[in-house]
Amino acid sequence: MAANVLDTVMLFGDSITQGSWDLNGIGARLSFVYARKLDVLNRGLSGYNTEWAIPVFEQLLQVFAKKEEQPYVPAVRLLTIWFGANDSVLPSERQHVPLAQFIANLKHLITMVKSPSSEYYSPKTRILLISPPPVNTYQRSAELVSRDPPRNCDREFGFTKLYAEAVVKTAQEEGAAVVDVWTVLWEAAGKDERALSAYLLDGLHLNAKGYELAYNAINESIEQSYPEIHHQNLQYAIPRHDELDPSNIRESVRARRLV
Amino acid sequence: MAANVLDTVMLFGDSITQGSWDLNGIGARLSFVYARKLDVLNRGLSGYNTEWAIPVFEQLLQVFAKKEEQPYVPAVRLLTIWFGANDSVLPSERQHVPLAQFIANLKHLITMVKSPSSEYYSPKTRILLISPPPVNTYQRSAELVSRDPPRNCDREFGFTKLYAEAVVKTAQEEGAAVVDVWTVLWEAAGKDERALSAYLLDGLHLNAKGYELAYNAINESIEQSYPEIHHQNLQYAIPRHDELDPSNIRESVRARRLV
């Protein structure tokens, strides 16, 4: 493990991840609860689909280290993979990834980390897949029509649903934990597409209330699937102030290594 | 620079730093604006004073690396030092640090990073000192009296003011940037101690509005003092999605190293 960085929680995804330190989103909330325990890193890539994210994961050191580099860098204890919102744009759009390819890409990402024969094999890393939120096409259309020049809606409600279902199924098949944000928001909205505006900023991205529901589901999933890295089960890496012995600070300030 | 972590902004301080990923505080806000540019790390230590923080800084790898380790770990591009809220408790309290010692400790922290003869010398690191917020002793007393057993107020308004003034003066003497949060909040409250409750949770810690004012002042100070690391002047480490060439993703996904 590298000096000056704790082991990490790495949030890998699209704009819904990148923007999640705003609006008290999942990035801000996970950073808060993991303070002094794990460093929470933002690897959200606005506009990216899985097809473009994989080369980033494989080629760029900022995301995931190869096996031989891992002893020298902070361990990724939890990796969240939250894609699908862009992959599921309509086939006419630049970001579109066909459903079968999306599923293959998710499996590839999981296999890279989980397979002992992979260059990126990391047995310490727990994986949590997250499904894309449902689209409110009424809200999304209104937003796109207001642009200059106006644009037609680039997503369909049922199309994103297929990608969300694929995330859940793929996680189950691959033995990874999954948080089905699609269903969480859909049920919160009483299965009424227009009512999703209570949880979405613009028909696509989460608002503060949407992030709150997503965080609650993620927190619960970590507690159930990976209790050993739930924030409540990790100690501070640096002692609490009331554990220090003021007569011998240098001795009592010791790092407690996280195992 | 270590794989999988970007260069960093390190927020070193007490509970006002540790808690700043909540309430849309400075941690959450800096993380949001530096997304894909620098990783923002929480090195807030609730309850700590400078006397206890220095051994953490010197002894524990989680905070700052020695010169010989620095090539192998993420560079700290910006280090914020925000202490004084605990150092300035009344002399009867366990956390108290005499004013002269507090000033010496701040100078020691700065010198460790800035002096070419220091083991921790890091010419890449810009330092930003932040003064402790003013105390609302009415609010703080009410909070402490409500505890079981009830406690007397542990801070005095004028006492914290001396420590805040010392932060500003020390930064100026040492050539570090400084954000005078004490004065920002005091002026926002119309120089009325009771009116500080608009910016403080409990007479001591910032609320969302207090963090907003602190963030605005910090953002402005970085822009003026260290424009080369202001978030608006840094490029994404990973290209924007509309810069990718879909016909040649692997070539166009290249890390742009931050210099």
Short mmCIF file of all heavy atoms in Angstrom, two decimals, chain B residues 5 7 85 91 130 146 166 180 216 232:
data_model
loop_
_atom_site.label_atom_id
_atom_site.label_comp_id
_atom_site.label_asym_id
_atom_site.label_seq_id
_atom_site.Cartn_x
_atom_site.Cartn_y
_atom_site.Cartn_z
N VAL B 5 -4.25 6.45 -8.37
CA VAL B 5 -4.66 7.64 -7.63
C VAL B 5 -4.10 8.85 -8.37
O VAL B 5 -2.96 8.85 -8.82
CB VAL B 5 -4.14 7.63 -6.17
CG1 VAL B 5 -4.57 8.88 -5.42
CG2 VAL B 5 -4.64 6.38 -5.44
N ASP B 7 -2.98 12.96 -8.57
CA ASP B 7 -2.42 13.88 -7.60
C ASP B 7 -3.56 14.39 -6.71
O ASP B 7 -4.73 14.34 -7.09
CB ASP B 7 -1.73 15.04 -8.32
CG ASP B 7 -0.39 14.62 -8.91
OD1 ASP B 7 0.03 13.46 -8.70
OD2 ASP B 7 0.23 15.44 -9.60
N ALA B 85 -9.67 25.43 16.31
CA ALA B 85 -10.94 25.31 17.03
C ALA B 85 -10.78 24.52 18.32
O ALA B 85 -11.45 24.81 19.31
CB ALA B 85 -11.99 24.65 16.13
N PRO B 91 -7.80 26.88 28.97
CA PRO B 91 -6.60 26.19 29.47
C PRO B 91 -6.90 25.02 30.40
O PRO B 91 -6.06 24.12 30.55
CB PRO B 91 -5.84 27.30 30.21
CG PRO B 91 -6.26 28.54 29.51
CD PRO B 91 -7.71 28.34 29.13
N ILE B 130 -6.25 28.00 7.09
CA ILE B 130 -7.62 28.46 7.28
C ILE B 130 -7.80 28.74 8.77
O ILE B 130 -7.40 27.93 9.61
CB ILE B 130 -8.63 27.39 6.81
CG1 ILE B 130 -8.33 26.95 5.36
CG2 ILE B 130 -10.07 27.91 6.91
CD1 ILE B 130 -9.17 25.77 4.86
N SER B 146 -26.99 20.85 27.80
CA SER B 146 -28.00 19.81 27.51
C SER B 146 -27.42 18.39 27.59
O SER B 146 -28.14 17.42 27.47
CB SER B 146 -28.61 20.04 26.12
OG SER B 146 -27.67 19.67 25.12
N ALA B 166 -3.90 34.65 14.93
CA ALA B 166 -2.56 34.05 14.84
C ALA B 166 -2.40 33.24 13.54
O ALA B 166 -1.32 33.22 12.94
CB ALA B 166 -2.32 33.15 16.05
N ASP B 180 -9.42 33.54 5.91
CA ASP B 180 -9.79 33.93 7.27
C ASP B 180 -11.28 33.67 7.49
O ASP B 180 -12.11 34.58 7.46
CB ASP B 180 -9.44 35.41 7.48
CG ASP B 180 -9.66 35.85 8.92
OD1 ASP B 180 -9.96 34.98 9.77
OD2 ASP B 180 -9.54 37.06 9.17
N ASN B 216 -16.61 29.38 -0.66
CA ASN B 216 -16.45 30.50 -1.60
C ASN B 216 -15.13 31.24 -1.36
O ASN B 216 -14.42 31.59 -2.31
CB ASN B 216 -17.63 31.47 -1.47
CG ASN B 216 -18.91 30.87 -2.01
OD1 ASN B 216 -18.89 29.88 -2.74
ND2 ASN B 216 -20.05 31.43 -1.62
N GLN B 232 -10.51 25.32 -12.40
CA GLN B 232 -10.84 25.75 -13.77
C GLN B 232 -9.62 25.76 -14.69
O GLN B 232 -9.78 25.81 -15.91
CB GLN B 232 -11.49 27.13 -13.76
CG GLN B 232 -12.91 27.07 -13.20
CD GLN B 232 -13.55 28.43 -13.06
OE1 GLN B 232 -12.85 29.44 -12.98
NE2 GLN B 232 -14.87 28.47 -13.00
#
